Each structure stands twice: as C-alpha cells, then as structure tokens.
Amino acid sequence: MQSLWSSLLSGEASNPGTFSKRTVDFVASMDKKDAKLFTEFCQFAWFMNDVTPLVFDSENEIYNSKGVNFGSLKHLDAIGLISFEPTSGYIRKGFGKYAQIYYFGQPVLIEFTNNKDNQMQIGKVLLTQAGQELAPICGANRNNEFYEYVIDYWYKQGLILSSPLPNK
C-alpha cells in the first residue's frame, strides 16, 4: 500500500492531474489485501494503446496459481478496478495488417491475415479508469509463463507473431 501511495503522490506532485480525484479517493479507501490482489492481477496485462488485461479463462491454472480466479475477478469488479464479463468477453477491433503490442516493455509484432479491419479476442476483463491509472504504478512483475501462454494462445488462433529475443 505504501509503495502504491508513494507512486501516486510522486506522480501527482511531478505532473498534477495525472490521477483523477476519483482514483485518489479510491486508493484512500483501498485495503492492503485489495492492493496485493490488484498487483497480482496486473501481471496479466499487456499494453495495446492502453493497459489491457488478457484473461481468457478465469479457471485456468496460469491465473489461479497467482490467486486470480472467478471470485477474485468478481471482487475486483465490485470494488471498481475492472469490468469482468465472464460469459462473452471482449474483442479489440480495428487492427491493420500489423500491430505492435508490449508485455512489460517487450514488443511483440502481430501479423493478421487481412490488410485491415482485424480484430482480436482480448479476454473477459477490461480495466476501469481507476484501474488504468493504477496499473502502471502498482508494482506488478513480468510472468514469463504467462507471456508464453499468451503467445501460444494467439499462435493457435492463426496469428503470426514475432518478437526480439530479450536481453540477458
């Protein structure tokens, strides 16, 4: 909680208006358990013009082993950090032939089959405004197993993927 508050206050001090009043008020009411859960949840987020969590199956062990499951997602939805749609999920539309997205700074280039109007299943969760503002400062860490899970998931959907090898 302290590091979340520290990041929020330093961001607000160096660039006033970075965080909405609603987000600041939300953090003030947040408890340590919620902050920890949100931080664990954010390891499943990629950057596609905004922070985009990729939760394809809330009962998959890749999520459950980190405490992210149907119940915890419903809780994050109830407190206002995410929007959880367990049945139909969400699709991101409007991709051209290529899209570059990032996982904790690592770029992944996606090549679609069509030249325009491509879409991608992004799972069952979106971040709210507060979630978008807090995700970059919550202290989440990269999960290499999850990175490989997502790459495999997209590959099985017929997408062509490329990424530079990470620096050692």
Side-chain angles (χ1 to χ4, degrees):
M1 257 332 265
Q2 287 177 333
S3 65
L4 186 62
W5 262 113
S6 172
S7 296
L8 187 132
L9 293 173
S10 68
E12 197 60 27
S14 62
N15 190 4
T18 301
F19 300 96
S20 67
K21 181 174 178 356
R22 180 174 292 183
T23 299
V24 173
D25 291 343
F26 177 81
V27 171
S29 69
M30 203 173 178
D31 65 25
K32 184 178 180 180
K33 181 182 159 201
D34 292 339
K36 185 176 178 351
L37 175 59
F38 186 66
T39 298
E40 286 295 318
F41 168 78
C42 284
Q43 71 185 289
F44 303 115
W46 288 58
F47 189 80
M48 304 179 186
N49 294 327
D50 62 3
V51 182
T52 305
L54 299 178
V55 179
F56 302 115
D57 174 7
S58 64
E59 299 305 315
N60 188 294
E61 182 61 21
I62 197 83
Y63 306 106
N64 294 178
S65 66
K66 300 298 184 181
V68 175
N69 54 42
F70 184 86
S72 62
L73 292 170
K74 289 297 286 178
H75 177 71
L76 290 172
D77 187 338
I79 65 172
L81 286 171
I82 68 170
S83 174
F84 178 43
E85 182 57 55
T87 52
S88 59
Y90 298 99
I91 294 173
R92 176 81 39 105
K93 297 179 178 183
F95 289 104
K97 179 73 173 170
Y98 301 96
Q100 186 161 328
I101 62 173
Y102 298 86
Y103 183 66
F104 285 85
Q106 182 174 355
V108 174
L109 182 66
I110 300 174
E111 181 179 342
F112 295 94
T113 52
N114 299 323
N115 287 327
K116 62 180 183 171
D117 299 327
N118 291 291
Q119 61 185 26
M120 175 190 301
Q121 173 64 250
I122 58 169
K124 302 186 180 301
V125 179
L126 292 177
L127 291 172
T128 62
Q129 179 183 345
Q132 281 289 336
E133 292 177 12
L134 294 175
I137 64 166
C138 74
N141 293 310
R142 178 187 170 91
N143 177 331
N144 288 327
E145 279 184 70
F146 178 66
Y147 172 83
E148 292 170 8
Y149 167 80
V150 171
I151 295 299
D152 185 60
Y153 181 88
W154 285 335
Y155 176 76
K156 288 176 180 173
Q157 290 186 336
L159 299 174
I160 299 170
L161 308 160
S162 61
S163 181
L165 294 174
N167 292 334
K168 298 233 177 203

